[in-house]
Amino acid sequence: MDKFVFLRIFVLVSTTIFSFAKPNRSQFNVLDYGALPGTTEDSSQAFLRAWNDFCNTTTEDPVLTVPPGKTFLLNPVVFNGPCKPKHLTLRILGVIAAPSSPKTWSRFDPGRWLTFRGVTGLSIAGCGGFDGRGEGWWDQSCRDHQGLKLIHTYIEPQALSFQLCNNITLSNVHFINSPQVHVLIYGSSGIDIDSILIDSPGNSPNTDGIHIQAAQNISITNSIIGSGDDCVSIGDYTSNIRISDVECGPGHGISIGSLGKDGNVVQVENIHVTNVSFTNTTNGARIKTWQAGRGYVRDISYKNCKFDSVNYPIIIDQNYCLKGDACKEMKTGVHISNVTFDNFSGTSTTDVAISLNCSWAVGCTGIILQSIKLTSAMTGKRVTSSCTNAHGNAIGMVEPPSCLS
């Protein structure tokens, strides 16, 4: 046989074999790409290979599975989009675990663990979860160990981040012991979070449950969040956020802010929180801004909330300052307006159950207190309201009595 003919036949056969070896399919499993169960062998590259094929398949509705009954160790990784399918499903049936030592981050971005960037149409669901193994980070926290010589860096990793993503659903999975924020949503739109569990100790520093920044059209529903910081925190440039049917505790409540620390122009609006129970939290419904900030926080509602031994059930602090009362008064401020607290009941562990500490320079306006009944968690004690330059109306029964002007 002519050697050139033989070569052409060989290339044709090899190409055919290769195409069958890597078919364009709709089902993917990380085990098929070399992922190794356990917490000693790094499976990051195997997950990235699986993601690459999953993200680039031309079949519709592909599924990538992390199998049940197994734990996989992943170093910091970024799952990049855009992906070819319009709808994709990542099934988390096992557990994805972070490295246990902060030293591992010496060659990685210390601020991130698992990041989805530029992805659209992804559904993450399953009965598995994410173990941030954050104890090593908490032990070197700047907040709790000032002056400590850090192992690597003071920037603790956020567990799961969505950056520049659209139309994402996250449901049924659980998160435990993140080094810092458990779920970060940044620069994204159309993110729906439903029926998730977040569980970290109340004394774990900076472990917000969910943090939202520069994002729109976000919903958080039917979830249980316990952490060492805010159950949900809402940062700047956010709008159209809906939070409902959430159990919060331990933690610092559901907070808007802090905003305007560096004198930036704040733009936050249309934030609606309903049917939330707060248990043993430091705050309940909270808005906090720095005096240096400018701009607005407006059209906010907290409705149908219950409080069990919460330090400050209702709090607006327009003079937020890390130095307590040591920050001097300024002539700037973020305008907080059209805020409703409606149908609240439960107990406060402090004397001031309603604290509306607004700026003398830029007061709070359009504040509504409606159907409020807050009592002391301690038998025989009474609770009060405290207002500074807070303007609005009390509707129906308000206990303790309103101090709005």
Side-chain angles (χ1 to χ4, degrees):
M1 180 184 296
D2 182 86
K3 64 180 180 180
F4 294 105
V5 173
F6 174 81
L7 181 60
R8 284 195 293 271
I9 294 172
F10 175 79
V11 170
L12 178 62
V13 171
S14 298
T15 304
T16 303
I17 292 173
F18 180 77
S19 68
F20 279 109
K22 294 190 71 175
N24 191 38
R25 61 189 190 275
S26 61
Q27 298 292 325
F28 301 84
N29 191 309
V30 295
L31 291 175
D32 297 334
Y33 290 84
L36 298 174
T39 57
T40 56
E41 297 293 333
D42 176 23
S43 290
S44 302
Q45 293 306 310
F47 271 65
L48 286 173
R49 288 191 295 269
W51 173 265
N52 185 62
D53 283 359
F54 167 66
C55 183
N56 288 289
T57 184
T58 57
T59 61
E60 278 304 313
D61 301 312
V63 177
L64 173 60
T65 299
V66 177
K70 302 180 187 300
T71 298
F72 298 92
L73 172 67
L74 264 64
N75 284 321
V77 293
V78 178
F79 300 104
N80 283 307
C83 296
K84 291 181 179 178
K86 293 182 179 179
H87 306 285
L88 311 91
T89 300
L90 174 56
R91 295 169 56 195
I92 308 293
L93 303 179
V95 175
I96 299 175
S100 60
S101 172
K103 292 181 179 178
T104 305
W105 262 260
S106 61
R107 62 186 188 277
F108 300 108
D109 175 1
R112 302 284 184 269
W113 177 33
L114 306 175
T115 301
F116 292 89
R117 181 180 297 151
V119 179
T120 297
L122 175 66
S123 173
I124 302 175
C127 55
F130 303 86
D131 183 354
R133 303 172 83 190
E135 294 88 344
W137 291 96
W138 307 337
D139 289 343
Q140 64 164 22
S141 164
C142 287
R143 190 195 77 178
D144 296 342
H145 302 86
Q146 294 185 16
L148 176 70
K149 184 177 180 180
L150 303 182
I151 296 173
H152 170 57
T153 177
Y154 61 86
I155 303 175
E156 302 95 340
Q158 294 153 349
L160 184 65
S161 301
F162 297 103
Q163 298 180 354
L164 308 176
C165 292
N166 295 287
N167 302 327
I168 304 293
T169 63
L170 176 68
S171 60
N172 296 310
V173 294
H174 65 263
F175 297 82
I176 62 170
N177 300 334
S178 175
Q180 198 194 50
V181 175
H182 290 78
V183 179
L184 169 68
I185 301 170
Y186 179 82
S188 300
S189 179
I191 312 295
D192 295 327
I193 297 176
D194 181 72
S195 301
I196 69 167
L197 169 66
I198 293 176
D199 185 14
S200 288
N203 61 354
S204 56
N206 304 315
T207 55
D208 296 69
I210 301 170
H211 180 68
I212 304 168
Q213 183 85 22
Q216 297 77 40
N217 306 314
I218 312 297
S219 72
I220 301 167
T221 56
N222 304 308
S223 296
I224 300 173
I225 304 174
S227 69
D229 212 304
D230 296 312
C231 293
V232 180
S233 57
I234 297 170
D236 205 355
Y237 301 106
T238 58
S239 61
N240 302 327
I241 311 297
R242 280 173 166 71
I243 301 166
S244 66
D245 301 289
V246 169
E247 296 180 23
C248 171
H252 294 180
I254 293 182
S255 299
I256 298 171
S258 60
L259 304 170
K261 180 179 180 181
D262 299 316
N264 57 298
V265 176
V266 172
Q267 296 178 353
V268 174
E269 60 187 330
N270 293 326
I271 313 297
H272 302 290
V273 180
T274 60
N275 300 330
V276 175
S277 63
F278 299 90
T279 303
N280 297 319
T281 56
T282 57
N283 306 284
R286 177 167 65 158
I287 302 173
K288 52 179 179 172
T289 64
W290 296 76
Q291 291 186 72
R294 305 167 191 268
Y296 59 80
V297 175
R298 64 192 184 194
D299 300 329
I300 312 297
S301 67
Y302 289 87
K303 296 184 177 181
N304 305 331
C305 294
K306 296 183 178 180
F307 305 88
D308 184 356
S309 299
V310 172
N311 290 5
Y312 300 99
I314 298 174
I315 179 168
I316 294 178
D317 188 358
Q318 222 173 350
N319 301 291
Y320 186 69
C321 175
L322 295 181
K323 299 178 182 178
D325 296 329
C327 293
K328 65 180 182 179
E329 192 172 306
M330 301 177 68
K331 295 182 179 180
T332 55
V334 177
H335 185 204
I336 298 173
S337 64
N338 301 336
V339 180
T340 298
F341 303 99
D342 181 12
N343 193 23
F344 282 18
S345 63
T347 57
S348 170
T349 60
T350 61
D351 294 339
V352 181
I354 301 175
S355 176
L356 306 177
N357 178 24
C358 300
S359 162
W360 283 113
V362 184
C364 305
T365 60
I367 308 299
I368 302 295
L369 297 173
Q370 181 170 346
S371 302
I372 308 290
K373 185 171 178 56
L374 298 171
T375 59
S376 177
M378 290 160 278
T379 303
K381 284 202 169 186
R382 297 179 63 86
V383 295
T384 62
S385 299
S386 174
C387 294
T388 301
N389 207 19
H391 307 279
N393 295 290
I395 301 173
M397 181 186 69
V398 174
E399 181 65 36
S402 167
C403 55
L404 290 168
S405 59

